[in-house]
């Protein structure tokens, strides 16, 4: 074992002077007995009872005014349905991107183009969905590294996928999966973002048709979806996408191979028992029934071959999607299984792609598979089959090694020093361990060895490291995404925030430290990805006036100058063209008749960074955000007579309160 990292001697001596003897922590700002308010670092530290470790953590995370974070964490917003953007190391929340849930600040879901994006996520029946359970944000990749262009995220509750463009951090596309109603292992990308992979979770009949649960084995199926991404359009092309039918196991996480394993996708599963629950009928509950077997199956899928089969057949089309049947997947050698430890959760490909790490929630080890061995075993085939005829490759033929870590290993990320970091849910710890082979890196410890277990608070789920799931990870920070915070924060009632803990992982050996506790008081985030900030190149203002963020083009109804302000009436349709600029709308009086259709075109003609205007009409549930250059059109029925002030919702200038007008609806 290596010795712990040492507090630099000079600092230790200095701080030692101040930490000898008892000093009861006072409340910050209290005037000490001698009347002297400490104004120097050590005085404040002594007053607040801070240790040298605390001062180190403060120095590592404090962001002076006007300085920027080096990294950006894109975190799922869990059942808030959104995505959080957090600066690292400061852990400051920079933005919440509206995705599956209406969000007023961004004018998302209150008229205008974003409402149309949101509507595309409705059920095929037309039923409106106003939330999602976002799980796994995934950044677009080029050659297995983040390219900073797009972010994808899945909605576990309703099986939907969203595309966010990182030029403006806005959701551009929501797709309702036409054949699945439950997903989980999304939204992983192949190394050049050829496909965005949406893995299934709870099996249902295809298209969630009704079928008695007695018909589980015959009728219920899982579907793995390969959404074809068009990087030029910045959208998923549904017509080029396809699905693969899988047995009704509960497929969990997925990861795309890269480097040595490029061309493969790995998906793990639980409930290979095909338990169907039913405690009310005296059946074992899902939790018991689905965790009986000692092993479940890692699914190995040859996605390049599958894409060729999708292209040339045989496939069938279900609700407009091409589906590769389970029989075809077996016959065409697209799908293989290999055993993995009981009730696995994470499946993570190492940076070189040579190994795949699987953690079993109920197994103290992580199991490391070898890509080379898997490829050889696939070529050889196997006589052993699951009940659906899928060949099962022997564990001894696919396994590289196992490393014992402790209780409840879940997810693993990597750095460029040859370390892996696994979240330990039951142990409430981050386990650092060493890789071997092509990922060996610079770590001084023996390969495949547990190095340190750092306690975190508490019940860590996912874990993020600097570009830690890519072919080119960095190092320095790990974020522990803890499900429980219990006593970490001030009591805000029985619904507690989650706790993202920033961990210093810069040094080798047993020297990881917790640097910062960050309360996440918005639902239960799952996964996050941590990207170098300099890879992101967002707009400061939209590239030209009249930019429609939904189309990326100049809107045909853009109002480009103040002289274009007008009202156009055609029978019962009233169109209003409004340029928006500090500090007025034009026109300021809009009078329509009850029952008219109102089509209001608004363009923010400002070119100054941060000169944002809002546009709301009280009583009409209309609320837009208009960023410099942005155009929006909102259409609604004037179905309530009366006088309704409209105004700007952003305090844009000294005369912001005057930025208003009257929308007057004459009664019938
Ligand atoms: S999961 S906490 Cu839904 Cu990604 Cu593991
Ligand atoms: Cu524009 Cu306030």
């Amino acid at each position: 074992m290596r010795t712990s990292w040492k507090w630099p001697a000079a600092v230790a001596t200095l701080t030692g002077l101040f930490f000898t003897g008892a000093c009861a922590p006072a409340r910050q700002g209290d005037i000490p007995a001698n009347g002297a308010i400490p104004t120097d670092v050590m005085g404040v530290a002594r007053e607040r009872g801070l240790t040298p470790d605390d001062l180190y953590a403060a120095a590592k995370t404090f962001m002076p005014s006007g300085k920027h974070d080096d990294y950006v964490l894109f975190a799922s917003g869990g059942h808030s349905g959104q995505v959080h953007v957090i600066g690292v190391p400061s852990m400051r929340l920079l933005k919440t991107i509206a995705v599956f849930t209406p969000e007023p600040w961004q004018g998302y879901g209150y008229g205008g183009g974003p409402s149309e994006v949101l509507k595309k996520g409705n059920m095929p029946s037309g039923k409106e969905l106003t939330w999602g359970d976002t799980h796994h944000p995934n950044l677009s990749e080029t050659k297995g590294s983040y390219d900073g262009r797009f972010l994808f995220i899945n909605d576990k509750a309703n099986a939907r996928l969203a595309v966010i463009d990182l030029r403006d951090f806005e959701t551009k596309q929501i797709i309702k999966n036409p054949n699945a109603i439950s997903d989980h292992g999304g939204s992983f990308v192949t190394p050049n973002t050829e496909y965005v992979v949406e893995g299934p979770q709870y099996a249902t009949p295809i298209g969630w048709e009704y079928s008695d649960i007695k018909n589980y084995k015959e009728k219920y199926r899982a579907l793995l979806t390969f959404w074809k991404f068009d990087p030029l359009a910045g959208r998923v092309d549904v017509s080029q996408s396809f699905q693969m039918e899988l047995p009704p196991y509960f497929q969990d996480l997925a990861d795309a191979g890269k480097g040595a394993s490029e061309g493969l996708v790995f998906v793990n599963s639980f409930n290979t028992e095909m338990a169907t629950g039913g405690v009310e009928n005296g059946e074992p509950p899902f939790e018991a029934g689905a965790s009986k077997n000692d092993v479940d199956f890692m699914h190995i899928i040859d996605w390049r071959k599958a894409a060729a089969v999708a292209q040339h057949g045989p496939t069938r089309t279900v609700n407009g999607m091409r589906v590769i049947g389970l029989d075809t997947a077996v016959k065409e050698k697209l799908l293989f299984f290999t055993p993995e430890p009981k009730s696995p959760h994470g499946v993570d490909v190492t940076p070189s792609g040579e190994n795949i790490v699987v953690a079993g929630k109920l197994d103290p080890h992580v199991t490391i598979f070898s890509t080379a061995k898997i490829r050889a075993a696939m070529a050889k085939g196997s006589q052993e089959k699951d009940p659906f005829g899928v060949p099962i490759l022997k564990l001894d033929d696919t396994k590289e090694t196992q490393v014992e870590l402790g209780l409840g290993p879940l997810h693993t990320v990597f750095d460029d020093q040859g370390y892996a970091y696994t979240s330990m849910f039951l142990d409430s710890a981050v386990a650092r361990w060493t890789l071997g082979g092509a990922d060996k890196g610079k770590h001084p410890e023996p390969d495949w060895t547990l190095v340190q277990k750092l306690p975190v608070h508490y019940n860590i789920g996912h874990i993020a490291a600097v570009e830690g799931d890519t072919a080119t990870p960095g190092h320095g920070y790990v974020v522990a995404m803890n499900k429980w915070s219990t006593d970490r924060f001030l009591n805000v009632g029985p619904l507690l925030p989650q706790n993202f803990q920033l961990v210093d992982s810069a040094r080798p050996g047993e020297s990881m430290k917790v640097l910062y506790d960050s309360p996440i008081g918005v639902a239960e985030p799952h996964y996050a990805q941590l990207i170098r900030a300099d890879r992101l190149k967002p707009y400061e203002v939209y590239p030209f006036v009249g930019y429609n963020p939904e189309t990326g083009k100049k809107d045909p109804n853009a109002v480009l100058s103040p002289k274009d302000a007008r009202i156009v009436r055609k029978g019962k349709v009233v169109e209003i063209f409004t340029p928006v600029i500090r500090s007025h709308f034009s026109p300021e009086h809009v009078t329509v008749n009850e029952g008219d259709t109102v089509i209001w075109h608004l363009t923010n003609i400002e070119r100054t960074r941060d000169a944002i205007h809002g546009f709301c009409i009280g009583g009409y549930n209309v609320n837009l955000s208009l960023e410099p250059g942005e155009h929006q059109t909102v259409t609604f029925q004037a179905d309530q007579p009366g006088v309704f002030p409209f105004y700007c919702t952003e305090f844009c200038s000294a005369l912001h309160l005057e930025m208003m007008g009257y929308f007057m609806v004459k009664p019938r």
Side-chain angles (χ1 to χ4, degrees):
M1 283 286 180
R2 292 176 49 85
T3 49
S4 304
W5 174 77
K6 287 283 189 314
W7 184 253
V11 182
T13 318
L14 183 64
T15 52
L17 295 174
F18 293 89
F19 292 101
T20 43
C23 58
R27 204 172 299 194
Q28 202 178 5
D30 281 357
I31 298 181
N34 64 6
I37 298 170
T39 52
D40 63 306
V41 176
M42 288 310 166
V44 172
R46 192 174 42 207
E47 182 196 42
R48 298 189 64 203
L50 302 180
T51 66
D53 272 355
D54 296 336
L55 290 183
Y56 173 80
K60 285 283 284 188
T61 57
F62 174 71
M63 196 53 63
S65 179
K67 293 242 166 107
H68 299 166
D69 285 300
D70 294 323
Y71 302 97
V72 176
L73 185 75
F74 287 96
S76 95
H79 33 319
S80 77
Q82 318 294 49
V83 165
H84 303 306
V85 185
I86 295 167
V88 172
S90 74
M91 299 307 283
R92 296 180 298 188
L93 176 68
L94 301 173
K95 187 177 238 179
T96 292
I97 305 173
V99 185
F100 294 110
T101 303
E103 202 286 322
W105 171 54
Q106 289 155 74
Y108 190 78
Y110 301 91
S115 295
E116 300 306 310
V117 174
L118 199 51
K119 261 187 223 155
K120 290 271 164 43
N122 287 350
M123 293 292 285
S125 67
K127 188 170 187 61
E128 195 185 3
L129 301 171
T130 57
W131 76 290
D133 188 8
T134 54
H135 268 239
H136 304 105
N138 270 255
L139 290 151
S140 56
E141 293 181 11
T142 301
K143 292 193 187 141
S145 299
Y146 299 154
D147 57 26
R149 300 182 64 199
F150 299 95
L151 182 76
F152 308 96
I153 191 155
N154 68 310
D155 164 16
K156 167 171 163 159
N158 309 294
R160 293 184 294 173
L161 179 81
V163 180
I164 296 161
D165 191 327
L166 294 177
R167 280 175 298 189
D168 63 357
F169 284 54
E170 285 194 4
T171 302
K172 302 296 175 182
Q173 188 182 24
I174 296 181
I175 310 165
K176 171 72 200 91
N177 191 316
N179 293 323
I181 192 66
S182 169
D183 73 15
H184 184 262
S187 44
F188 297 86
V189 299
T190 54
N192 290 295
T193 321
E194 296 93 338
Y195 289 95
V196 184
V197 183
E198 182 188 354
Q201 183 100 86
Y202 306 122
T204 56
I206 289 179
W208 60 95
E209 277 176 8
Y210 178 78
S211 180
D212 195 296
I213 195 142
K214 286 197 202 87
N215 308 322
Y216 189 82
K217 263 180 221 160
E218 298 73 39
K219 285 280 183 198
Y220 286 50
R221 286 293 176 271
L223 281 170
L224 184 66
T225 308
F226 291 83
W227 295 111
K228 178 78 186 134
F229 188 63
D230 176 348
L232 282 182
R235 303 286 187 275
V236 164
D237 181 350
V238 177
S239 73
Q240 297 299 309
S241 305
F242 68 94
Q243 298 185 303
M244 185 188 284
E245 195 185 344
L246 299 174
Y249 309 144
F250 292 171
Q251 284 76 8
D252 198 41
L253 265 174
D255 200 4
K258 53 182 175 274
S261 47
E262 174 145 14
L264 302 177
V265 162
F266 306 95
V267 185
N268 57 21
S269 62
F270 60 100
N271 198 20
T272 48
E273 299 84 350
M274 290 188 278
T276 53
V279 271
E280 65 288 356
N281 301 321
E283 300 294 336
F286 276 108
E287 62 170 327
S291 53
K292 254 193 257 156
N293 293 350
D294 281 337
V295 293
D296 291 288
F297 298 130
M298 179 165 80
H299 299 32
I300 303 153
I301 291 142
D302 186 331
W303 68 259
R304 281 199 194 281
K305 249 198 212 175
V309 170
Q311 203 65 43
H312 307 295
T315 59
R316 64 185 198 275
T317 301
V318 188
N319 294 324
M321 283 286 285
R322 283 174 300 171
V323 178
I324 300 174
L326 191 43
D327 291 356
T328 306
V330 171
K331 210 167 108 229
E332 301 286 335
K333 301 196 167 76
L334 310 179
L335 174 65
F336 295 85
F337 290 159
T338 194
E340 55 183 0
K342 203 177 174 76
S343 296
H345 191 47
V347 55
D348 297 289
V349 177
T350 59
S352 70
E354 275 196 6
N355 293 114
I356 301 104
V357 179
V358 170
K361 302 190 290 275
L362 303 178
D363 185 284
H365 301 89
V366 282
T367 301
I368 295 116
F369 294 90
S370 150
T371 297
K373 289 183 185 173
I374 286 174
R375 288 203 196 270
M378 282 166 73
K380 206 169 77 186
S382 170
Q383 288 319 306
E384 201 191 332
K385 307 266 157 79
D386 89 324
F388 299 88
V390 182
I392 304 170
L393 311 176
K394 284 197 176 41
L395 182 59
D396 284 343
D397 293 344
T398 58
K399 189 182 76 177
E400 178 74 44
T401 185
Q402 286 191 317
V403 182
E404 186 170 342
L405 300 182
L407 298 180
L410 296 186
H411 301 288
T412 302
V413 286
F414 309 95
D415 70 11
D416 61 358
Q417 310 289 301
Y419 289 119
Y421 302 85
T422 300
S423 54
M424 310 294 295
F425 180 80
L426 298 176
D427 272 343
S428 282
V430 169
R432 173 187 249 182
W433 52 280
T434 57
L435 297 167
D439 298 293
K440 183 173 167 57
K442 310 181 190 103
H443 66 78
E445 301 85 359
D447 296 350
W448 312 122
T449 307
L450 173 64
V451 175
Q452 186 189 0
K453 264 161 83 177
L454 176 77
V456 290
H457 316 89
Y458 305 86
N459 297 0
I460 175 174
H462 271 284
I463 181 167
V466 177
E467 311 202 339
D469 70 321
T470 72
T472 51
H475 67 273
Y477 299 107
V478 161
V479 179
M481 305 176 71
N482 304 305
K483 305 287 190 190
W484 288 29
S485 64
T486 316
D487 58 358
R488 291 289 107 176
F489 305 111
L490 272 183
N491 189 355
V492 289
L495 179 62
L496 272 58
Q498 270 70 45
N499 183 13
F500 282 9
Q501 277 181 314
L502 183 68
V503 171
D504 178 3
S505 63
R507 291 180 195 76
E510 304 165 59
S511 62
M512 287 189 294
K513 287 176 193 300
V514 170
L515 294 174
Y516 195 76
D517 282 23
S518 184
I520 305 292
V522 201
E524 188 201 271
H526 290 258
Y527 184 55
Q529 288 189 336
L530 186 54
I531 183 175
R532 273 168 34 191
D534 61 7
R535 289 197 201 268
L536 300 166
K537 302 269 182 289
Y539 294 144
E540 295 191 344
V541 296
Y542 278 116
F544 47 82
V545 172
Y547 187 94
N548 178 325
E550 280 64 57
T551 61
K553 301 200 174 86
K554 182 172 286 185
D555 194 279
N557 292 303
V559 196
L560 301 179
S561 103
K563 63 181 189 322
D564 295 331
R566 64 193 187 277
I567 298 176
V568 180
R569 291 170 199 280
K570 279 187 207 125
K572 291 181 72 61
V573 178
V574 182
E575 273 190 90
I576 305 126
F577 295 82
T578 295
V580 181
I581 189 164
R582 278 165 288 171
S583 301
H584 61 273
F585 296 105
S586 175
E588 292 185 324
H589 297 168
V590 174
T591 308
V592 303
N593 297 314
E594 184 181 353
D596 282 351
T597 299
V598 178
I599 306 174
W600 205 319
H601 307 288
L602 299 111
T603 308
N604 181 341
I605 60 176
E606 304 256 12
R607 303 307 290 146
T608 307
R609 195 175 181 197
D610 213 354
I612 300 157
H613 301 284
F615 173 75
C616 75
I617 309 176
Y620 269 92
N621 205 40
V622 167
N623 182 33
L624 307 177
S625 171
L626 299 159
E627 286 105 71
E630 177 168 356
H631 176 87
Q632 286 292 335
T633 293
V634 54
T635 302
F636 61 96
Q637 299 303 314
D639 49 10
Q640 305 174 92
V643 173
F644 303 89
F646 58 87
Y647 67 91
C648 168
T649 46
E650 293 274 341
F651 209 109
C652 53
S653 75
L655 296 173
H656 149 80
L657 292 175
E658 288 79 355
M659 191 167 176
M660 60 83 63
Y662 284 108
F663 174 61
M664 293 168 281
V665 184
K666 283 192 204 154
R668 260 192 252 269

